[in-house]
Amino acid sequence: MARMKFLCDADRCIECNGCVTACKNENEVPWGINRRRVVTLNDGKPGEKSISVACMHCSDAPCAAVCPTDCFYTTVDGIVLHDKDLCIGCGYCSYACPFGAPQYPKTEAFGARGKMDKCTFCAGGPEEDNSEAEYAKYGANRIAEGKLPACAEMCATKALLAGDGDLVADIYRKRVMQRSGRPQTWGWGKAYGAEL
């Protein structure tokens, strides 16, 4: 079975925020929540790069590991989802996630936390596929319709890739080879031992 993954090609991202807007519109994300955001690294300096960040649907998700109610679960496609009916809003997942994916909605009075919200890879939630209840709690279920997440489909430069992890890696590998054989991604040199 395919494992769904996101990958943002920092050499192609132009910080247009089309992915952020597409996510908000497709899923009617509550005010104060950004399931996806664009982060600029080395802002204003030579080598500045931008990347689109959301839940990365980790293979061994730290949010799921710390959840006291086990509201996080992984689908057969490798998409990490959560059940808002089980969520108690403790916030442990937001502390554990290195990407800041789980967030509190800010529609309540100060101090009222509510249920966590996060990127669903446009795969809905535990409710019946494409039902009104699913859309109201989790947003669109594009995966059930055979579509990719709205953020990746909206990306004008195709910097944000989504889908089967093996296919996404193949696309990125071909891009790297066309760019003289090594990725220009932020952190590559630190991750692999030498500044390139």
Side-chain angles (χ1 to χ4, degrees), residues 20-102:
V20 176
T21 303
C23 177
K24 281 192 152 305
N25 287 341
E26 184 74 18
N27 298 303
E28 295 184 15
V29 178
W31 182 83
I33 296 284
N34 281 323
R35 290 183 178 177
R36 177 163 292 284
R37 64 191 182 285
V38 177
V39 177
T40 303
L41 308 165
N42 297 326
D43 194 14
K45 298 177 184 169
E48 175 183 303
K49 302 275 184 191
S50 294
I51 55 171
S52 180
V53 180
C55 176
M56 298 307 283
H57 302 279
C58 305
S59 299
D60 188 15
C63 57
V66 300
C67 181
T69 63
D70 291 327
C71 73
F72 289 91
Y73 62 98
T74 305
T75 67
V76 294
D77 291 331
I79 300 170
V80 178
L81 298 176
H82 72 299
D83 186 337
K84 288 187 178 183
D85 292 333
L86 296 177
C87 178
I88 59 172
C90 66
Y92 290 168
C93 55
S94 66
Y95 292 115
C97 178
F99 305 105

Side-chain angles (χ1 to χ4, degrees), residues 148-161:
L148 289 175
C151 56
E153 281 195 359
M154 184 58 71
C155 185
T157 61
K158 299 300 176 208
L160 183 59
L161 302 172

Side-chain angles (χ1 to χ4, degrees), residues 98-127:
F99 305 105
Q103 301 171 33
Y104 288 116
K106 295 181 176 60
T107 57
E108 303 291 325
F110 179 77
R113 294 188 251 183
K115 310 287 184 170
M116 299 305 283
D117 193 277
K118 68 175 270 312
C119 165
T120 63
F121 206 88
C122 286
E127 311 289 337

